Amino acid sequence: CGQALVDARLLLEDRLELRGTLREYLLAAPIDASGWEQITRATVSLLGRVWDRHALALEWELVERDAHYPGEPDDFQRSAIFRATYTFVWDERLGAISLGH
């Protein structure tokens, strides 16, 4: 079994946050069996402050599952989700730290 994670975040001033996340999982069958599954999850989101600490977020997520087992037909599944949400932002700077004075 193995997994990988990539997460990137871009802050524009203290108003916008663009974030991308990619997760990959490889699931191998137990020793006494054969076969494997690969699961991928990709997420992209945009959060924008609209007033004070109130923000709106848009998020798109794609999930894929690719399974291969002997004696069974290969199985591929894909699902996409789109979300629009309201968010109360606790940190006024969206989690950014200051490197200056």
Side-chain angles (χ1 to χ4, degrees), residues 48-101:
R49 185 189 312 269
V50 291
W51 178 72
D52 195 28
R53 292 185 177 187
H54 303 275
L56 295 176
L58 300 175
E59 182 177 82
W60 178 75
E61 182 175 22
L62 176 68
V63 180
E64 293 183 345
R65 176 181 171 262
D66 193 11
H68 302 273
Y69 292 98
E72 299 289 331
D74 290 347
D75 189 15
F76 182 79
Q77 298 169 333
R78 177 181 289 161
S79 173
I81 301 168
F82 179 76
R83 295 180 192 93
T85 59
Y86 161 80
T87 303
F88 182 81
V89 181
W90 184 257
D91 187 338
E92 292 178 353
R93 301 196 62 229
L94 298 176
I97 60 170
S98 176
L99 299 177
H101 292 53

